[in-house]
Amino acid sequence: MSWLAFALFFWAAAWATNAALANSPWRSTRPVRVIVPLLFGVTLLVLWEGLVRHFQVMPVILPPPSLVWDTLINSTETLWVDFQQTVLKGALTGYLIGTGAAFLTAILIDRSDFLTRGLLPIGNFVAALPIVGIAPILVSWFGFDWQSKAAVVVVMVFFPMLVNTVSGLRQTEPMQRDLMHTYAASYSQSLFKLRLPAAMPFIFNGLKIATTLALIGAIVAEYFGSPTRGMGFRINTGVGSLSIDLVWAEIAVAALAGTLFYGGVAWIERRVTFWHPSHRN
Amino acid sequence: MTAAPATTTPGPFRTAGRALRSTVGGTLPVLVVLAVIVGIWYAAVAPMNIRLALDQAERSGATVVPETPIARQEVSVWRLMAQNPDLVPQSYAQDRPRLPTPGQVAGELWATTGEMALEGRAMSRRSLIFHAWVTLRSTFWGFLLGTTLGIAGAIAIVYSRVVNLSLMPWAIISQTIPIVALAPMIIVLSAQVGIEGRGVPKAIISAYLCYFPVLVGMVKGLRSPGTAQLDLLKTYSASSLQSFWKLRLPSSVPYLFASLKIGIAAALVGTIVGELPTGAIRGLGARILIGDQFGTPLAIWAALFAAAILAGVLVTLLDVAQRATLKRMGMGR
């Protein structure tokens, strides 16, 4: 059977199904909201597989998803070692230190109006800069192991988190602050009972942006020197030695890790800010 | 992605000082904080470079207090500075410092930009203007591609329920995937398809980072007209094309500019990320890479600051365009 014909047929069928589902009366139910994007993703994979097989693309150029899956299953040990090195040690440590430090700094500078007005524009500017470029400097300062990767992540996540937390802490309205004042609330009472809860949507926005940056930072830093493990290291050497299927397996793991990391933070956000209009149904 | 800076609502007793504060108070705190940062930077140079400075002094025959480098490894930098006070100034004049002084970075930046431009060698391979231009070109194409995709995607999402349901989740997931992992593959693939050079793959990577803020902003913008406004157009029996051109598109312009500013910064990050791990030889990212390989930290720092200046200029240009456009449209403040 022609792979191309099958792929195109699958595409058409999936699209028709999706169109029918999306215009059906159940369109806002949960199953449909899950099935439609899932089917879309599967379609992309089927198209990829079909096109690669039909045109007999060499696996060293673009391996089909089935081959990537095989590699993924057969080299779980390597992938797990790389995952530990890059995600758990490099990205996660840096993420916790960086966002934690930014959070504490934000609370400290928030006490001074002068500091806030001085740091906020600078923070906004720095958050837009290509900070990844600092990776080679930090690798030369902190050595090749995961500490330098964590340092890159700390620097990358610090400013977006700082800016978001500071903006969040300013979200309360004068009326609400006056109310706390009439209750004779102390600084810490009004911080914990009013301003931090009000800042939570902003804080989580920063935390979510930081998840993506953390993985980017940890992987880029490995291109500038790393021990013989880690996702960035494996991708770099894999491209050189033409083991492209392993590279795609690493990419799949990186994508999954990034999505789960983001999804995890988003899940916590829904638990914490259930009161916010954007989460009410 | 980045939240808009919050507007504080000043209490009635505060409004008096507001006019003054908006002119003087806007820049003064920033300048003070900048000065403090530069001060900390200068102070940090001595402890960062003291070991290098002492090694150098020892080689040139000066007496250094713990005499061998191995003995010095055991001692903290603070004690080294206290024991060799007359050698501390040398940490501020290293050729290959671990941490250069702001003055050294500024000097290197000037030597590779302004000075070369004055000599008429602005487009020489050693000039950062040349490399900034290479990066800018890819950023521009990536920005154009990403913005087009983002706007087209937003229109499709707003007008088609299928696209909304199937595409939106993947757009979000696409941003959680670390693009750097994909970057080498994009370059391998585009080389196989027969695309020469690194311009196209770099533009693709930068478009990948840039399209998302535009998409999200435009979806929000195109949906921003209220029901009353849409109903009014319906009573005029406006076609959906007319309501797009006359209502949805104009009301999305403020959102568009806000996301374009994020998008251009993201596009620049994308280009530099595309240059970093891929062995590029031209562009600011390539300067950082080459500076790392040849052990010339000053070149890295100069390229970093050039990238920062470039980002600042691009965002400022869009900000000016935003103000002018919104003013013309009667939406300016």
Side-chain angles (χ1 to χ4, degrees):
Chain A
M1 185 174 61
S2 162
W3 279 100
L4 186 65
F6 172 72
L8 291 178
F9 172 75
F10 187 88
W11 184 14
W15 188 257
T17 316
N18 269 354
L21 280 175
N23 293 312
S24 68
W26 306 287
R27 62 169 174 262
S28 44
T29 59
R30 203 170 167 79
V32 170
R33 289 183 157 275
V34 175
I35 289 170
V36 171
L38 209 62
L39 202 55
F40 181 77
V42 171
T43 312
L44 287 185
L45 286 182
V46 170
L47 267 180
W48 176 355
E49 181 91 30
L51 289 177
V52 166
R53 281 179 186 250
H54 177 79
F55 293 106
Q56 297 181 337
V57 181
M58 303 265 289
V60 290
I61 297 167
L62 184 63
S66 53
L67 181 62
V68 174
W69 176 252
D70 282 348
T71 315
L72 192 76
I73 296 300
N74 290 327
S75 42
T76 39
E77 223 164 285
T78 320
L79 293 172
W80 173 242
V81 170
D82 294 347
F83 177 81
Q84 276 182 310
Q85 172 75 12
T86 306
V87 178
L88 298 186
K89 289 185 186 162
L92 206 59
T93 316
Y95 179 83
L96 292 178
I97 298 175
T99 52
F103 181 75
L104 294 180
T105 314
I107 288 184
L108 284 181
I109 67 168
D110 177 66
R111 297 203 76 159
S112 150
D113 194 37
F114 187 81
L115 267 183
T116 311
R117 277 186 290 126
L119 266 173
L120 205 54
I122 296 176
N124 262 321
F125 178 64
V126 176
L129 293 183
I131 304 183
V132 276
I134 208 169
I137 297 169
L138 292 180
V139 170
S140 78
W141 285 359
F142 293 99
F144 280 177
D145 211 350
W146 62 269
Q147 288 87 347
S148 63
K149 280 74 198 168
V152 174
V153 175
V154 168
V155 179
M156 279 183 77
V157 301
F158 184 82
F159 286 99
M161 182 66 189
L162 180 77
V163 169
N164 273 293
T165 310
V166 170
S167 319
L169 287 172
R170 299 168 132 206
Q171 283 307 298
T172 50
E173 282 163 29
M175 186 86 91
Q176 298 168 318
R177 286 198 296 270
D178 286 349
L179 180 66
M180 293 306 273
H181 196 66
T182 59
Y183 290 163
S186 67
Y187 168 78
S188 64
Q189 277 173 328
S190 84
L191 180 71
F192 284 109
K193 300 204 186 239
L194 170 65
R195 303 179 59 221
L196 272 182
M200 277 304 159
F202 280 74
I203 292 173
F204 273 101
N205 189 30
L207 285 175
K208 284 194 286 188
I209 295 170
T211 58
T212 326
L213 291 175
L215 281 179
I216 292 185
I219 292 176
V220 167
E222 283 181 3
Y223 293 131
F224 293 99
S226 78
T228 54
R229 55 183 185 274
M231 294 170 135
F233 168 80
R234 201 75 61 190
I235 289 169
N236 223 12
T237 50
V239 172
S241 64
L242 293 181
S243 44
I244 302 295
D245 47 338
L246 185 61
V247 174
W248 279 103
E250 286 287 353
I251 293 174
V253 174
L256 196 66
T259 310
L260 287 181
F261 196 0
Y262 184 93
V265 175
W267 185 81
I268 299 173
E269 179 187 18
R270 290 181 72 90
R271 292 289 165 285
V272 174
T273 63
F274 57 88
W275 47 269
H276 194 259
S278 65
H279 294 302
R280 278 193 227 130
N281 290 322
Chain B
M1 288 169 83
T2 349
T7 47
T8 41
T9 341
F13 54 92
R14 274 188 175 181
T15 32
R18 198 167 54 172
L20 181 75
R21 200 176 296 150
S22 62
T23 49
V24 183
T27 49
L28 183 70
V30 176
L31 289 178
V32 170
V33 170
L34 272 180
V36 170
I37 290 174
V38 171
I40 294 175
W41 183 350
Y42 261 108
V45 168
M48 285 298 283
N49 293 340
I50 187 78
R51 288 184 199 278
L52 277 176
L54 293 184
D55 289 352
Q56 206 182 36
E58 187 199 337
R59 277 196 296 275
S60 61
T63 42
V64 181
V65 169
E67 279 172 16
T68 58
I70 299 156
R72 284 199 292 275
Q73 284 297 328
E74 308 291 319
V75 186
S76 78
V77 285
W78 311 108
R79 252 182 81 189
L80 286 177
M81 282 163 64
Q83 285 170 333
N84 306 285
D86 44 329
L87 290 173
V88 169
Q90 288 209 20
S91 18
Y92 286 87
Q94 291 291 308
D95 281 341
R96 297 185 166 189
R98 287 182 79 197
L99 177 67
T101 66
Q104 280 179 309
V105 175
E108 172 79 9
L109 203 54
W110 172 248
T112 47
T113 53
E115 204 174 298
M116 297 193 82
L118 288 181
E119 291 170 13
R121 295 194 296 140
M123 281 302 160
S124 132
R125 287 232 159 171
R126 303 180 65 84
S127 149
L128 275 183
I129 299 177
F130 167 75
H131 292 286
W133 166 244
V134 171
T135 300
L136 183 64
R137 219 172 31 193
S138 288
T139 306
F140 176 74
W141 286 115
F143 179 63
L144 204 67
L145 184 63
T147 313
T148 315
L149 280 178
I151 295 176
I155 293 172
I157 281 174
V158 169
Y159 278 94
S160 159
R161 215 173 273 142
V162 197
V163 178
N164 180 23
L165 279 181
S166 51
L167 207 61
M168 204 53 190
W170 286 104
I172 296 170
I173 290 175
S174 81
Q175 294 306 300
T176 66
I177 297 172
I179 175 67
V180 276
L182 271 171
M185 293 318 301
I186 293 175
I187 286 159
V188 169
L189 276 177
S190 57
Q192 289 300 329
V193 181
I195 297 164
E196 294 286 317
R198 301 190 180 272
V200 175
K202 269 175 3 187
I204 293 176
I205 296 164
S206 104
Y208 183 98
L209 282 187
C210 157
Y211 90 95
F212 184 73
V214 179
L215 178 90
V216 173
M218 277 304 275
V219 167
K220 229 179 218 171
L222 289 172
R223 283 184 178 154
S224 63
T227 346
Q229 292 169 309
L230 287 167
D231 283 349
L232 179 67
L233 281 191
K234 217 169 255 170
T235 62
Y236 291 164
S237 86
S239 69
S240 69
L241 205 64
Q242 281 171 322
S243 76
F244 174 76
W245 283 113
K246 293 190 192 296
L247 175 61
R248 283 188 190 270
L249 199 60
S251 45
S252 73
V253 170
Y255 294 85
L256 176 67
F257 272 107
S259 40
L260 283 185
K261 281 196 276 188
I262 302 170
I264 191 94
L268 184 65
V269 174
T271 312
I272 288 178
V273 164
E275 286 167 348
L276 277 181
T278 54
I281 47 169
R282 284 183 282 181
L284 292 175
R287 290 300 291 179
I288 295 173
L289 189 72
I290 291 168
D292 180 50
Q293 286 162 350
F294 288 84
T296 49
L298 277 178
I300 302 182
W301 285 90
L304 269 177
F305 275 85
I309 293 168
L310 194 60
V313 169
L314 290 174
V315 175
T316 311
L317 280 180
L318 274 174
D319 195 56
V320 170
Q322 176 184 31
R323 276 164 209 268
T325 314
L326 291 186
K327 205 172 175 188
R328 277 294 294 256
M329 293 178 72
M331 291 193 258
R333 273 170 290 172

